[in-house]
Amino acid sequence: MANSTLVTEFLLEFFAEPRELRLLLSVLFLLVYLGCLLGNLTIIIVTTVDKTLNTPMYFFLRNLSILDMCYVSVTIPNACVNSFTGHQNISVPGCAAQVFLVFFCACIEILLLTVMAQDRYVAICKPLLYPVIMNHQVCVQMLLASLLSSLVIASVHTIKTFQLSFCHSNIIPQIFCDTPSLLRLSCSDTFNNKLLILLTAIVVSGSCFTFIVISYVHILSTVLRVPVKGERGKAFSTCVPHIIVVSMFLSSGAYVYLRFPGTSDVVQEITISVFYTVFPPFLNPIIYSLRNKQIKEAVKKVTLRMFFPRRI
């Protein structure tokens, strides 16, 4: 079978046309990107500097923030540069790297969110066993397992994708390289690739989503038995947004990767991709931390320490 060297480079789409709208959207996405970096970087600094946040919950939160900074940096900066400069081309190795990184980050994202749901489940439903079940060694092992499994999944999908021949066209109807768009450009048999995507969606995404929902059902049922209304409200305000973001992340990804082949509008492609590549990294700091009293107090403490060291 001929390989992907039949195409030496691909052409990506811009955010929009005409040029004025394209530049406006580029600035908007750039601001969202900077906001995402700022929010996640704040969490990383605070959970590292403040020793009172040295718990499993904030260990995973810190790593989720590191991941989200990497995840959003895979797609948005390059798309913004392309829109500002008018360049659309990306090399085949560059496209392969982007496909790998998107898969890798997305897999770790859902696995970390699942682990964090388990952490909250043990903390709320089995508080006496929490120090035993969620000790530091177990947390590190969970993180390493997530990284390793995501590395394997992303590598397999990337290799299988770029074993195909691309001879129909080199124009990708997306602002970054993704597997579904490349499969539509291929003139090879893509049945095995689609089957691999379906199996990954069922085994990884489906099982993780089920586990997260079950965990939060148990959490909410436990909290409802607590007589203090304030604690109920706090639990609902944390659990519900988390489930909404996870649902949005998985449903938009499932729509892009599992839908039936056919032509679709480029604007629709780009809009849906934003829901699983940009929104989760942007919303996670808001849901998990910026509404968290401990994080707020730690941010104030670190800020005072940085700018007014003599007062501390």
Side-chain angles (χ1 to χ4, degrees), residues 42-225:
T42 300
I43 293 171
I44 295 169
I45 294 174
V46 167
T47 55
T48 302
V49 173
D50 194 330
K51 300 304 178 184
T52 62
L53 301 181
N54 189 21
T55 63
M57 173 183 173
Y58 295 107
F59 169 79
F60 290 121
L61 188 58
R62 179 167 59 250
N63 285 281
L64 180 66
S65 294
I66 295 171
L67 168 67
D68 283 340
M69 290 179 68
C70 297
Y71 190 17
V72 76
S73 297
V74 173
T75 56
I76 297 303
N78 184 66
C80 289
V81 170
N82 288 348
S83 291
F84 284 130
T85 61
H87 294 157
Q88 294 178 272
N89 56 308
I90 183 172
S91 65
V92 172
C95 188
Q98 205 168 41
V99 167
F100 170 80
L101 290 172
V102 168
F103 249 114
F104 181 63
C105 292
C107 286
I108 302 178
E109 180 91 13
I110 187 60
L111 290 173
L112 271 182
L113 291 174
T114 305
V115 171
M116 291 174 70
Q118 181 190 4
D119 173 74
R120 292 298 84 205
Y121 164 74
V122 177
I124 295 174
C125 300
K126 300 181 179 180
L128 297 179
L129 297 176
Y130 184 71
V132 178
I133 297 176
M134 300 301 294
N135 61 68
H136 183 70
Q137 183 179 358
V138 171
C139 293
V140 172
Q141 288 174 349
M142 286 181 172
L143 178 63
L144 292 177
S146 300
L147 290 171
L148 182 59
S149 56
S150 299
L151 179 64
V152 172
I153 293 171
S155 298
V156 170
H157 278 279
T158 304
I159 292 171
K160 288 292 293 181
T161 299
F162 285 89
Q163 284 179 340
L164 301 172
S165 302
F166 302 103
C167 49
H168 289 161
S169 172
N170 68 335
I171 301 176
I172 298 176
Q174 186 56 273
I175 57 174
F176 61 91
C177 289
D178 67 340
T179 300
S181 299
L182 290 169
L183 294 184
R184 289 196 288 272
L185 298 181
S186 176
C187 51
S188 306
D189 183 9
T190 60
F191 175 78
N192 290 334
N193 299 76
K194 294 173 181 177
L195 180 61
L196 182 63
I197 290 174
L198 178 61
L199 291 175
T200 303
I202 294 173
V203 174
V204 179
S205 302
S207 59
C208 286
F209 181 71
T210 302
F211 187 89
I212 290 172
V213 171
I214 292 174
S215 297
Y216 277 107
V217 168
H218 283 290
I219 290 172
L220 293 175
S221 64
T222 301
V223 171
L224 286 175
R225 292 196 291 267

